[in-house]
Amino acid sequence: MEVLKILIVDDKPENIVALEALLDRDDIELVTTTSPNEALRLCWEQDISIALVDVQMPQMDGFELVEILKGNPRTREILVIFVTAISMETKYAVKGYSTGAIDYLYKPLDPYVTSAKVDSFIQLACSQREVKRKNAELLQYQKELIIAKEQAEQGKRIKENFLASMSHEIRTPVNGIQGLIHLLQYTNLDEEQIKLLDLLKISSGALLGIINDILDISKIEAGKFKIVRAESNIINQAHAIIGLLQYKAVEKGIELKVDIEKAVPAMIIVDSLRINQILMNLIGNAVKFTDKGSVTLFVKLIATKGNQAQIRFVVQDTGIGIESDKLDTIFDSFEQADDNTQQLYGGTGLGLSIAKRLAELKGGEITVFSEFGKGASFVFTNWYQVVSDPEINASVDLSELPFLEGLEVLVAEDNLVNQFMIKKVLERWKIEVEMVENGALVLERLKTKTYDLLLIDSNMPVMGGFEAIRKIRADISASISTIPIISLSAAVLDEEQQRALDAGANDIITKPFDLSVLHHKIKKWTRKVLKKD
């Protein structure tokens, strides 16, 4: 039980004794004084809840005492009751209330009235203390929330920086591996070496898929999961996905194939990473539940409107199929086609749920058609912007990409493997290539020579790509400041890619990059030079 302190201030000791007799109870502690100045000290030093103050006192009357108490933040919340023998006229009551008192007790004191009023004010004081205590507890809680929020934000920043760094450090060597695989395909290889190279290509692709999944998890947790659309060769991507999953089909003895309509545009604006995830999940799911027969990816052009194309991806299998009562829930998290599915085929039941959510996030939709025991068809449909280029069509082949003879390109890349790979690829396209390893050397070269195009990596020692691009764009010489620049980035965060554009890059290509897309972007930004020649 909380004991409240009540102060009695009266210049006559006999009045104090009378009040003490009336207020003798266990839940209060009485503090008494005959001096107003002493009363001020007591209120300052002790936790006084209620003050019973005589109005008429020498040196300082009750009104003056209460005015001082109410003027001090430390004592203003004390509940004051005036005790008086003077007139009960309204003007005195008004004066008392205006100074801050909450009630009056009139002498001679009525024991019942006095006890009842004091009791009600004790309850009021207890309520006020409880509210004050709750507010204090809340204010500590708020401080803890602020500290936790600051710590979480700091942790988030650290995580994002780590994610960006890890993305660059991991994806850069994978880009080099895939580039070297491409170059090896054009060397003299025997049959066994070709098989080994194909396995290396599949393995590197699988590694990239794992990396992308890990980075995506981090992005989702960091609240950075966004759709990033860019130019991509959907035909090459469809074949690449089939290639990545081909080894699983071979292990099961089933056929995995792709069927693409000739009318399907090759180059579209798409988030290639997300569509890759959708199709990988759908095709991987189909392969898992097909023990004989085949799995086929159909890519069809459904409709066109201006520069927009509606493309439909159909993953059709001859597997176990889905029971009719499961069709409505098959896309739910952790749902499987049958109660024994996990035991027989493994998996968590998240693949289809992830695919559907990604499809809807991209503005498309996924539907399923199935007859139990006769396979299933998963259909993903969406609209895409077509990149108009008469030289890019559904029959694009890396070995048939046209030469870009006459172009002079300066490449800034610090990774030795990527330097070698990019130089060999560009030279295969008859491009004259110069290579430097940081942004500072780019600025040095530009002092004596101009180029048709700059390929600049975003993260390099000495001077990074963003700083170099900003300095180039600030150059007073128009022949230098207007050179087309493509930023080479292994970043997955939208913010880092946007930094390249804000710095002045004309375009971005992310590592590991599709060589047909690299060829297209180089040609796109040097078209005037090629036409002039």
Side-chain angles (χ1 to χ4, degrees):
M1 179 180 67
E2 183 179 12
V3 177
L4 298 182
K5 288 187 177 182
I6 296 181
L7 173 67
I8 300 175
V9 186
D10 197 306
D11 63 315
K12 296 181 179 180
E14 60 269 24
N15 291 336
I16 293 176
V17 171
L19 279 170
E20 285 179 326
L22 288 173
L23 301 177
D24 184 18
R25 46 194 291 178
D26 295 335
D27 59 346
I28 63 174
E29 178 186 340
L30 295 178
V31 180
T32 64
T33 181
T34 58
S35 167
N37 289 321
E38 176 70 7
L40 290 175
R41 184 185 66 79
L42 291 171
C43 288
W44 181 262
E45 294 178 351
Q46 300 190 37
D47 184 16
I48 303 297
S49 300
I50 300 173
L52 301 178
V53 180
D54 187 31
V55 171
Q56 292 180 311
M57 292 182 293
Q59 299 178 348
M60 182 189 301
D61 64 27
F63 297 135
E64 293 172 320
L65 171 61
V66 174
E67 284 180 351
I68 294 173
L69 291 176
K70 295 300 179 180
N72 192 310
R74 188 165 177 174
T75 57
R76 67 173 47 153
E77 293 183 4
I78 296 175
L79 301 178
V80 176
I81 303 172
F82 278 128
V83 182
T84 181
I86 64 174
S87 173
M88 297 174 64
E89 292 182 15
T90 304
K91 64 178 182 179
Y92 292 105
V94 170
K95 183 176 181 180
Y97 291 132
S98 66
T99 59
I102 60 172
D103 208 342
Y104 270 87
L105 287 173
Y106 294 97
K107 300 175 183 178
L109 297 174
D110 184 310
Y112 297 104
V113 172
T114 301
S115 179
K117 284 193 174 185
V118 171
D119 186 66
S120 66
F121 291 128
I122 287 175
Q123 293 181 34
L124 177 60
C126 288
S127 298
Q128 288 181 338
R129 282 173 171 269
E130 183 66 18
V131 171
K132 188 176 181 180
R133 182 163 48 250
K134 293 295 185 183
N135 287 337
E137 290 176 358
L138 180 62
L139 181 65
Q140 191 181 51
Y141 184 61
Q142 288 176 335
K143 289 180 179 178
E144 290 176 356
L145 281 178
I146 292 172
I147 293 172
K149 180 174 179 291
E150 291 174 349
Q151 291 175 341
E153 289 176 347
Q154 182 181 8
K156 183 179 177 182
R157 287 191 296 271
I158 293 172
K159 189 172 185 177
E160 288 176 6
N161 292 335
F162 172 74
L163 177 61
S165 176
M166 183 178 70
S167 168
H168 185 270
E169 294 301 322
I170 296 178
R171 292 165 70 97
T172 293
V174 173
N175 181 68
I177 292 170
Q178 293 190 331
L180 291 175
I181 291 171
H182 168 74
L183 293 175
L184 283 172
Q185 289 176 327
Y186 296 96
T187 62
N188 295 323
L189 302 171
D190 58 35
E191 187 175 345
E192 184 175 356
Q193 289 172 327
I194 292 173
K195 289 181 180 179
L196 292 173
L197 190 62
D198 288 340
L199 289 174
L200 181 59
K201 185 176 182 180
I202 291 169
S203 298
S204 66
L207 174 61
L208 179 60
I210 294 170
I211 292 169
N212 288 338
D213 286 343
I214 294 172
L215 295 177
D216 267 345
I217 291 171
S218 300
K219 288 176 70 177
I220 292 170
E221 290 179 351
K224 296 293 182 179
F225 191 86
K226 296 179 182 178
I227 295 298
V228 182
R229 294 179 174 87
E231 295 176 5
S232 183
N233 189 313
I234 194 62
I235 308 302
N236 286 356
Q237 191 166 358
H239 284 287
I241 292 170
I242 294 297
L244 289 175
L245 295 173
Q246 192 67 246
Y247 74 98
K248 291 185 179 180
V250 171
E251 287 178 351
K252 299 191 71 174
I254 62 174
E255 187 177 9
L256 178 59
K257 51 190 177 180
V258 60
D259 187 326
I260 303 174
E261 283 187 353
K262 290 184 178 180
V264 173
M267 196 71 69
I268 60 175
I269 303 296
V270 64
D271 187 328
S272 58
L273 177 60
R274 305 305 170 210
I275 198 170
N276 187 72
Q277 286 178 294
I278 292 171
L279 295 178
M280 287 281 284
N281 274 316
L282 294 181
I283 298 170
N285 186 74
V287 170
K288 182 167 67 172
F289 294 112
T290 302
D291 293 323
K292 59 180 180 179
S294 64
V295 174
T296 306
L297 168 62
F298 295 93
V299 184
K300 305 177 181 181
L301 178 66
I302 303 303
T304 59
K305 183 184 294 184
N307 68 340
Q308 300 288 318
Q310 188 180 37
I311 300 176
R312 176 167 296 162
F313 303 87
V314 181
V315 178
Q316 182 176 306
D317 66 66
T318 60
I320 63 174
I322 305 167
E323 294 179 345
S324 58
D325 61 343
K326 289 285 187 178
L327 289 174
D328 292 335
T329 61
I330 196 66
F331 291 107
D332 295 343
S333 296
F334 306 107
E335 277 291 331
Q336 303 258 350
D338 184 81
D339 293 339
N340 295 322
T341 296
Q342 185 174 17
Q343 182 178 355
L344 293 173
Y345 296 95
T348 62
L350 286 173
L352 294 180
S353 176
I354 293 172
K356 186 172 180 63
R357 292 182 185 183
L358 286 173
E360 292 172 348
L361 189 63
K362 292 168 63 62
E365 63 174 358
I366 290 182
T367 55
V368 58
F369 305 91
S370 179
E371 183 177 351
F372 187 65
K374 296 185 178 180
S377 294
F378 288 85
V379 181
F380 167 49
T381 307
N382 207 352
W383 285 88
Y384 301 97
Q385 180 181 334
V386 178
V387 179
S388 300
D389 192 324
E391 295 184 24
I392 296 180
N393 50 55
S395 62
V396 169
D397 188 315
L398 293 179
S399 63
E400 298 176 358
L401 290 173
F403 294 151
L404 299 173
E405 194 169 0
L407 290 181
E408 293 184 271
V409 175
L410 177 62
V411 179
E413 168 64 67
D414 62 305
N415 183 277
L416 293 176
V417 175
N418 280 306
Q419 283 183 6
F420 175 81
M421 181 272 294
I422 294 173
K423 191 171 190 295
K424 288 295 183 181
V425 168
L426 297 185
E427 286 177 343
R428 182 173 293 278
W429 297 337
K430 304 295 185 182
I431 295 175
E432 294 183 22
V433 186
E434 292 186 33
M435 190 74 62
V436 294
E437 56 268 15
N438 61 63
L441 293 176
V442 171
L443 300 179
E444 285 296 319
R445 293 289 178 93
L446 290 175
K447 289 179 180 179
T448 57
K449 184 177 180 180
T450 60
Y451 298 85
D452 300 313
L453 179 74
L454 305 177
L455 294 176
I456 301 181
D457 186 35
S458 58
N459 290 291
M460 295 179 291
V462 184
M463 181 185 291
F466 302 144
E467 184 180 355
I469 294 171
R470 283 193 293 269
K471 290 181 178 295
I472 293 168
R473 292 303 184 223
D475 196 289
I476 58 174
S477 170
S479 61
I480 299 298
S481 63
T482 58
I483 295 176
I485 301 175
I486 298 176
S487 175
L488 304 176
S489 174
V492 292
L493 292 181
D494 305 336
E495 287 79 359
E496 185 166 345
Q497 296 185 21
Q498 186 61 45
R499 284 176 62 196
L501 298 176
D502 293 341
N506 297 93
D507 212 332
I508 302 165
I509 186 164
T510 57
K511 301 174 182 177
F513 40 75
D514 184 326
L515 294 181
S516 65
V517 175
L518 175 63
H519 185 280
H520 168 68
K521 287 183 181 287
I522 292 175
K523 186 172 182 182
K524 173 183 176 181
W525 292 107
T526 59
R527 188 164 293 166
K528 291 181 180 179
V529 178
L530 291 171
K531 287 183 177 180
K532 189 185 299 182
D533 292 342

